[in-house]
Structures are given as structure tokens and as C-alpha cells.
Amino acid sequence: FQYSAVDSNPLSVYVMHPFWNSVVKILPTWLAPNLITFTGFMFLVLNFIMLAFFDYDFYASAPDHQHVPSWVWILAGLFNFTAYTLDGVDGKQARRTNSSTPLGELFDHGLDSWACVFFVVTVYSIFGRGDSGVNVVTLYYILWVVLFSFILSHWEKYNTGVLFLPWGYDISQVTISIVYIVTSVVGVEAWYTPLLWNIRYRDLFTVMILGCAFLVTLPMSLYNVLKAYRNNSLKQSSLYESFLPFLSPVLLFILSTVWVCLSPSDILQKEPRVFYFMVGTAFANITCKLIVCQMSNTRCQPLSWLLLPMAVVVLLVVSGVVQHSESLILHIWTAVVALAHIHYGVSVVSSHLLV
């Protein structure tokens, strides 16, 4: 097995990779790469849980609310950077110990796909809701921009056979880690002040994410696929087959957005954290199936089965049949999605080990 990826980000090439090369040298050779991957992921989960405890509804950073303690932001910055470092070291440890496997790549990128929702939702607590923050609906669409940016890279590999690592990931992880530490020093109040004219830091945060997605990640992905097409090295036989991996993510976006827009109880305002987690987990499940297809050189399935019961749930909610139990329905459906995703991951790993 040989991992095929291209990382051309100057931040990675000249700063992070030399740092990761130094870190991996101090790791014991008996330490399994997959354990490093999982540990890094759990640091992001721990961040998510920690901020959920201190800022469950994203109001803690708003004026006249009890703010998150400074030490929490310090831990958040350290945990985020540690997770980012371990994500960069696991592959190097695998090559160092000659233990690179398809399972390792799947485990790494599968957890990365789930990690997207954790670091986006966690960093949201810095700005929060209210007049000085970011609206929960705006954050919902920002989350989708991040999710589609992630799947673009794996869509590239599905079509070209090479994973082109997105520039936005490294830039965002370093920036987020620094912002956490800075917040612990200056407090969330510092982000209330306009940066220039009437432009606030929250606007800069939004522009940075949108800019990375639409000005860097998307153009580079389209260019790499177009280049493969011109070189006759495109793995898919038709335009339909090339874009097939986008069908399920687009349907998930439509279903979740219909739920947000037509919710009888305005569910995103009431349960933003749970709704974000549900969407991010469902998206991770779809992405993992694409990763399996690209690694096994098999055709991407047009429709994820998870979307069928979700369509029923959304229909019941927007029709008003379960209007007074919408929050309960959301929590139950979120639990189903999370358990289904974990079951899928365990099944894939178990099948690989049995082979």
C-alpha cells in the first residue's frame, strides 16, 4: 500500500512538516499510528464537550452574559494544536515504522471528516450569538462551506487518484489555535471592537472561511480534476460518474436546510449545537463511504441510506405532525445518526481486520 497525496501549502512545507518531523522522532516506535490518529481526534471531541459545558447555547461570549473562564480558552488552544499536530504526525509514524495500511488512511481521513463539525462549532463560542456575534443560521451555512471544502479533496482523489491536501486546513488550524490563546489573554470583549470602520472580527472570521473555500480550495480542486481530464488520467468514464459523489451531500444539505427554514419551533435557534452535530455526523458518514470507494476503486453509491429515514423525519417535522416534540425528535434522530455512523466505522474496521 502506498499513500498518494500532494501537500503544496507553504505553511505545511516550510513550517509544519519540519516541526512534525521533529515531533515524530521522539515518539516510541511501538506507538501505533492509528492510536495517534484517534488520540488527536479525541482532543477535538474533548474541546467540543468542554465548550458545551461552559457555553452550551453559544451565549457566553455575548455582552451581559457569564463568560467562559480564561483557562478554558488556554486548554482549547492547546488541545486544538495538539490534535492538529497528531494529525500531521500519524502518517509519518506509519512510514517510520513501516506500518502504512489502507485502514490507516481510512481511519485518518474518516475521523478528519467528523472532526470538521467539532472544530467549527467549538470556535463559534469565541464569537457566540447576539448583536456582537454570529447568527446561528449564518454559522449553519459556514459549517456547510467547511464540510464541502473537505469533501472536495476526496472528490479530487476519486477522480484523479491523488489526494491534494487543501491549503485552508493548515491555515485555519494554526489560526484557530492562536485565536484561542489570544482570547484567554484579551478576553472575548476584544472581539466586540470594530477592526476597521464597521467591520468586526466576526466578519473577518466569516470572510476568511469563505475566501479559503471559494478562492483557494474550489479553484484548485477544479483545476486538478481538469488537468487530469486533459492528461487522459481521469479515473471516471463520464461527467455523471465524476460528480456522482456530490449527490448525497447535496441531498443532505437540502433536507437539513428545509428543516431549518420550515421548522415550526425554529429548531436551529433552540438547539443549534445538537443540529450542527447531527448535520456534521451525517455528512461524515457520507464522506467515509466516498473514501472507501476511492480507496477500493469502486463506484460511489448514488444515495446514502441514511437520507431516507431523514427525509421521513423532516417531512413529519415540517408538516406539523410532531410540532410539539420537535426538540425530542431532533435528539432522537441525532442519536440514531451518531450510532449508525459509529456502527459503520466499527464494521469497516472489523471487516478489514478479518481479511
Side-chain angles (χ1 to χ4, degrees), residues 42-56:
M42 290 309 297
F43 272 109
L44 293 178
V45 174
L46 182 58
N47 253 2
F48 180 83
I49 295 173
M50 181 173 65
L51 266 299
F53 178 80
F54 288 99
D55 184 26
Y56 182 80

Side-chain angles (χ1 to χ4, degrees), residues 11-51:
L11 176 61
S12 297
V13 174
Y14 298 109
V15 179
M16 298 314 303
H17 278 293
F19 171 68
W20 294 333
N21 288 333
S22 299
V23 172
V24 76
K25 291 177 182 177
I26 65 176
L27 297 179
T29 54
W30 53 260
L31 186 59
N34 288 344
L35 179 59
I36 298 175
T37 303
F38 185 70
T39 303
F41 173 73
M42 290 309 297
F43 272 109
L44 293 178
V45 174
L46 182 58
N47 253 2
F48 180 83
I49 295 173
M50 181 173 65
L51 266 299

Side-chain angles (χ1 to χ4, degrees), residues 1-3 33-34 90-105 352:
F1 170 71
Q2 186 174 0
Y3 179 54
N34 288 344
D90 54 4
K92 295 181 182 295
Q93 176 75 345
R95 289 182 286 275
R96 177 190 177 211
T97 57
N98 196 28
S99 57
S100 296
T101 63
L103 177 62
E105 180 180 348
H352 180 85

Side-chain angles (χ1 to χ4, degrees), residues 72-84:
V72 172
W73 296 122
I74 295 175
L75 286 181
L78 294 175
F79 288 170
N80 192 84
F81 189 76
T82 300
Y84 172 51

